[in-house]
Amino acid sequence: MMKIAPSLLSCDFTELNQEVRRLEEAGADYLHYDVMDGRFVPNISFGLPILEQLRKITDLTIDSHLMIEEPERYIEAFAAAGSDIITVHVEATRHLHRVIQQIKQTGKKAGVTLNPGTCIEQLMPVLQDVDLVLVMSVNPGFGGQSFITSMVDKIQFLNDYRMQHQLAFEIEVDGGINEHTAQLCRQAGADVLVAGSYFFKHEDYKTPTSILRGE
């Protein structure tokens, strides 16, 4: 079954506890936690203190997406603060394989992110080591962007590759997800859909959860 990961970047942080309760009741699988440093992407979001508070109020899987330069400097801190999955960008570090091993050594799942302009070949040396591949279907840094349709080909390639090589990483897609683009992602082989603006515009969070799953 398709997993749904609401992006907390779009939630009401004045009511964080209530928002998390509603997401749990709606059947969300992951909480997608976007971390931006104003350097790797042209925006700044939240960091460790909010993550620590979030961990105290939920048992849901926290999927920390690090859009930051030199993520190796913060892996242990994000693991200790409560992340279950830590995902880094190919372009953000000089030693991708080392960072993946660093994440694994904390006992957390390791993910790697593919930007729209990043060649998929850059992931080949590490695909056997990761638990998740995040395909960005918009350029990272801001919510509310339109889905880049050509990213469906990357999803399909990754799905074919893992079946051919009997790998078990999840394929997650983030950016411009709605009822129409979710169908394209499901058909191409995605396992996890991240949704922000589309998800939180609904009053009843069970509605987008069901729609995005294709139920």
Side-chain angles (χ1 to χ4, degrees):
M1 182 175 66
M2 177 67 66
K3 294 180 181 178
I4 305 302
S7 174
L8 294 176
L9 197 63
S10 298
C11 82
D12 182 357
F13 266 86
T14 66
E15 298 286 347
L16 180 59
N17 189 67
Q18 182 179 348
E19 288 278 58
V20 170
R21 296 284 84 77
R22 294 178 64 196
L23 292 173
E24 290 174 337
E25 292 170 2
D29 300 283
Y30 295 169
L31 297 178
H32 193 77
Y33 190 79
D34 286 310
V35 182
M36 308 180 195
D37 63 359
R39 295 178 61 215
F40 184 72
V41 292
N43 203 356
I44 296 174
S45 66
F46 28 69
L48 294 165
I50 294 179
L51 177 59
E52 290 170 348
Q53 296 303 310
L54 183 64
R55 180 75 287 167
K56 292 177 182 178
I57 62 174
T58 185
D59 292 326
L60 283 177
T61 296
I62 299 178
D63 172 22
S64 293
H65 175 197
L66 305 188
M67 289 175 271
I68 63 176
E69 295 282 355
E70 300 177 357
E72 57 268 25
R73 298 170 57 196
Y74 303 99
I75 297 302
E76 285 78 9
F78 275 95
S83 304
D84 297 294
I85 306 169
I86 300 176
T87 304
V88 300
H89 280 252
V90 173
E91 309 88 350
T93 180
R94 293 182 180 179
H95 304 289
L96 181 60
H97 185 271
R98 181 183 298 169
V99 175
I100 291 169
Q101 296 306 310
Q102 186 182 5
I103 296 170
K104 296 273 195 175
Q105 288 168 6
T106 68
K108 308 300 180 179
K109 291 185 176 181
V112 63
T113 306
L114 196 62
N115 276 344
T118 304
C119 294
I120 203 166
E121 286 76 15
Q122 294 189 44
L123 295 185
M124 294 306 175
V126 300
L127 283 178
Q128 70 275 12
D129 300 306
V130 299
D131 301 291
L132 179 145
V133 176
L134 171 55
V135 177
M136 292 299 301
S137 44
V138 299
N139 286 295
F142 296 94
Q145 300 181 64
S146 297
F147 186 89
I148 301 173
T149 308
S150 59
M151 295 305 102
V152 174
D153 292 337
K154 287 186 176 180
I155 301 168
Q156 185 69 65
F157 180 91
L158 286 166
N159 186 40
D160 293 343
Y161 185 91
R162 70 176 171 182
M163 287 192 293
Q164 180 182 355
H165 295 274
Q166 297 183 326
L167 299 176
F169 61 82
E170 290 187 316
I171 301 172
E172 184 176 61
V173 187
D174 182 3
I177 296 297
N178 56 38
E179 65 268 30
H180 305 296
T181 58
Q183 182 177 1
L184 295 176
C185 294
R186 291 194 304 267
Q187 291 172 344
D191 306 289
V192 186
L193 296 178
V194 178
S197 304
Y198 173 81
F199 193 97
F200 286 98
K201 74 179 182 180
H202 291 82
E203 291 186 9
D204 180 2
Y205 293 167
K206 292 181 181 179
T207 298
T209 301
S210 178
I211 291 173
L212 295 178
R213 284 190 176 131
E215 298 174 343

